Amino acid sequence: MRVYQDLIKGLMSLEIDLFPSNYGFVRYFPPLDDLPKVQTNKDREIGFENITGKLALFVYIPFCTGKCSYCFYLKKVNAPRKEVNEYLECLKKEAEISSKRINGHRISSVYVGGGTPTYLDAEQLKGLFRIMNSAFDILIDGSFTFEASPETLDKEKINILLDNSVKRISMGIQSLDDKILASIERRYTSKEAIKKIMLLKKNAPSFNLDFIYGLKNQTTLDVMNYLDLIKEIQPPSVTFYQKWFFMKDEFGTRSQKIKKGESLFGIIAKKELIAETMESLGYLRDGLYRYVKKSADGCAYCKTVWGDNSCLALGLSAYSYINGVGFQNSKSFAEYQKLLNQNVLPITRKKILTNEERAIRALVMGLKANGTKSCGVSITEIEQRYEVKLTPETEKFINELVSIKALTVENQRLFFTQQGSTFAENILLNLTERQCFSGLD
């Protein structure tokens, strides 16, 4: 732990917040709250012409059987079938309008997330695929991920997904400790979760399992239990999300600080155990959180979206980024439906990024997608692409991160060290708050 102690001291000396009072990670750039509100239908007109690079498609399904304690996404719990059908009709309308805007640009990867997309029943799932296939030219051999949960997935739904070109089913397990599952308000037992994992293993050629470490009161034994399961079944892909259970707490009294410090080293120990085990099993790192048996099992959608390409996102509150424009759909279903009935896209926030902002996005999201030794990010390439230069202050900051062994550089590519990846989101959040690039003189 000595290397971590030195790293933590170094990060604190750089005034990097190790105990964020919110969820503490970068979802988008710019942050959604920084997107100005759209006032008129004319302002909702987004320039889709001449899309460069790859174009990904994201479809948001907001329905769930319950709301997990750690989840911040917009949800509708136990919605009746009629309400789901109304939402699918809106998705159909949005897909039709959007398809005309992108002028037939091929979709290279698809991600259907939520919420819980497998909350939809069999007929609704088939209807969702009809909507996507009729509106868009989706690359047949492209990446196609579909999220699922143990309590909503069955063999019939797996077959429907596979029959409709889904390449990767991603199922959130989070823990195999029944007390932990209950405390985070998951709606299944460890026994039920394992049953559905085995169903996936038997029927799905490629799938991903999500686990969380750092949950409140989670023991090392829980982590060891799901690592033992991974050893047994050898899933193609496993994602480990790091949860700082004190994220919502304010940084306050000395006793709170001590508690947080102790929790921090507990999380580090679990992360090291995961890394050692997965590497011993022959898994490869795929971004900051994921381990895969082979590169083809990775999430190509994430690399596309975070890799400075465009993403068209459909659904309530969905966030798109196309040609340097970030925009978000309405969070209100009534408004979302009303705008679509007016034949306009349901956009309520929008921002046209400057070249400097696009460069920050490329750096931050690039490190999120490729911030491991096998890939890395080239600042020189970003500077050339957007005709900007790294500011002296940011260059000094990055050099200091390298000196404390949070980041490293090889072959002119920047990436996180194994220890530094523990604090990747803290570092990335700090970068989003900086003026990292300036225009050329």
Side-chain angles (χ1 to χ4, degrees):
M1 287 294 174
R2 176 69 190 192
V3 65
Y4 278 101
Q5 290 175 342
D6 292 341
L7 176 58
I8 289 168
K9 289 178 182 177
L11 292 171
M12 293 179 72
S13 72
L14 294 174
E15 299 183 349
I16 293 175
D17 188 359
L18 301 184
F19 307 110
S21 58
N22 54 25
Y23 283 97
F25 64 93
V26 177
R27 292 171 60 197
Y28 313 106
F29 185 83
L32 297 183
D33 290 343
D34 290 354
L35 303 183
K37 291 183 179 179
V38 172
Q39 301 297 331
T40 68
N41 286 346
K42 184 178 180 180
D43 292 334
R44 293 184 171 89
E45 295 298 319
I46 305 294
F48 291 105
E49 300 82 10
N50 303 316
I51 297 174
T52 57
K54 295 179 180 178
L55 176 63
L57 175 67
F58 177 80
V59 181
Y60 185 65
I61 305 297
F63 307 107
C64 263
T65 60
K67 187 170 177 64
C68 304
S69 63
Y70 56 83
C71 184
F72 54 86
Y73 291 105
L74 186 66
K75 298 281 185 67
K76 177 64 176 178
V77 175
N78 293 322
R81 194 172 193 278
K82 179 182 178 183
E83 188 172 337
V84 177
N85 286 336
E86 288 178 355
Y87 183 76
L88 291 176
E89 282 299 312
C90 287
L91 276 181
K92 180 180 179 182
K93 185 72 173 177
E94 186 180 6
E96 289 171 349
I97 298 173
S98 299
S99 67
K100 295 175 183 177
R101 300 292 181 86
I102 64 173
N103 294 323
H105 197 97
R106 176 165 284 185
I107 303 294
S108 66
S109 60
V110 181
Y111 196 106
V112 180
T116 307
T118 47
Y119 180 90
L120 276 59
D121 63 31
E123 289 306 310
Q124 290 167 336
L125 284 174
K126 293 175 183 177
L128 176 62
F129 286 112
R130 284 194 294 270
I131 290 169
M132 290 188 286
N133 290 326
S134 64
F136 302 107
D137 177 17
I138 299 173
L139 185 65
I140 295 175
D141 296 328
S143 168
F144 198 145
T145 297
F146 206 99
E147 288 185 349
S149 66
E151 79 274 20
T152 61
L153 189 66
D154 56 33
K155 191 168 187 283
E156 181 185 16
K157 291 182 181 179
I158 291 175
N159 289 337
I160 291 171
L161 301 186
L162 298 179
D163 288 344
N164 285 276
S165 302
V166 170
K167 306 291 194 304
R168 180 174 173 272
I169 300 173
S170 183
M171 186 161 68
I173 305 300
Q174 320 314 1
S175 171
L176 292 176
D177 183 316
D178 286 338
K179 289 183 180 179
I180 293 290
L181 289 171
S183 71
I184 60 176
E185 299 180 57
R186 300 293 281 179
R187 278 94 40 208
Y188 51 84
T189 64
S190 58
K191 184 177 180 180
E192 291 166 341
I194 292 172
K195 182 179 179 181
K196 295 303 174 70
I197 292 171
M198 295 306 180
L199 186 67
L200 272 180
K201 180 175 174 60
K202 182 178 179 180
N203 295 281
S206 183
F207 62 93
N208 172 76
L209 302 178
D210 286 348
F211 291 98
I212 299 176
Y213 64 97
L215 292 164
K216 189 173 183 179
N217 298 321
Q218 185 181 42
T219 64
T220 303
L221 180 61
D222 181 34
V223 177
M224 292 174 67
N225 284 339
Y226 58 65
L227 288 173
D228 285 342
L229 179 67
I230 291 166
K231 289 179 187 178
E232 177 186 347
I233 68 169
Q234 301 278 310
S237 170
V238 189
T239 305
F240 298 96
Y241 289 108
Q242 183 174 299
K243 175 71 168 70
W244 307 92
F245 71 74
F246 41 72
M247 279 181 179
K248 289 187 178 180
D249 300 336
E250 292 299 325
F251 198 64
T253 65
R254 174 176 164 78
S255 62
Q256 286 177 318
K257 292 178 183 179
I258 292 172
K259 181 179 179 182
K260 290 175 179 181
E262 290 172 345
S263 303
L264 176 58
F265 283 105
I267 289 172
I268 289 170
K270 293 180 178 70
K271 181 182 177 66
E272 287 291 302
L273 175 62
I274 290 168
E276 291 172 8
T277 302
M278 298 304 287
E279 288 170 12
S280 72
L281 294 173
Y283 281 84
L284 308 171
R285 286 290 297 271
D286 181 54
L288 295 178
Y289 316 113
R290 192 174 301 104
Y291 291 85
V292 296
K293 273 295 184 182
K294 53 183 186 295
S295 58
D297 294 321
C299 182
Y301 166 86
C302 293
K303 288 188 178 293
T304 298
V305 174
W306 294 344
D308 211 23
N309 294 289
S310 292
C311 175
L312 172 65
L314 308 181
L316 203 61
S317 78
Y319 173 83
S320 299
Y321 177 81
I322 295 179
N323 282 351
V325 181
F327 49 99
Q328 185 185 28
N329 284 352
S330 175
K331 298 179 181 180
S332 161
F333 180 69
E335 183 180 32
Y336 174 76
Q337 188 177 45
K338 178 182 177 181
L339 289 169
L340 286 169
N341 286 338
Q342 296 172 3
N343 289 316
V344 296
L345 291 172
I347 298 166
T348 53
R349 289 179 178 271
K350 168 189 170 184
K351 181 177 177 64
I352 300 173
L353 277 64
T354 64
N355 275 6
E356 291 83 357
E357 289 171 324
R358 294 181 74 174
I360 295 173
R361 182 184 185 276
L363 173 62
V364 171
M365 305 311 285
L367 282 171
K368 197 173 176 77
N370 300 303
T372 56
K373 188 174 182 178
S374 60
C375 298
V377 173
S378 169
I379 291 177
T380 301
E381 290 177 4
I382 293 173
E383 290 177 323
Q384 293 174 346
R385 187 184 314 149
Y386 293 110
E387 299 181 333
V388 295
K389 60 183 178 181
L390 196 67
T391 63
E393 295 80 10
T394 305
E395 183 177 8
K396 179 183 177 183
F397 176 67
I398 289 175
N399 287 337
E400 288 172 331
L401 288 170
V402 172
S403 70
I404 64 173
K405 296 181 171 57
L407 291 170
T408 191
V409 179
E410 285 186 14
N411 299 319
Q412 297 185 317
R413 302 193 78 82
L414 186 70
F415 56 90
F416 289 102
T417 63
Q418 169 65 25
Q419 293 78 22
S421 66
T422 303
F423 304 96
E425 295 290 354
N426 309 74
I427 294 168
L428 295 178
L429 278 170
N430 190 287
L431 286 169
T432 64
E433 296 166 357
R434 293 173 174 269
Q435 187 66 42
C436 294
F437 295 91
S438 62
L440 298 177
D441 295 330

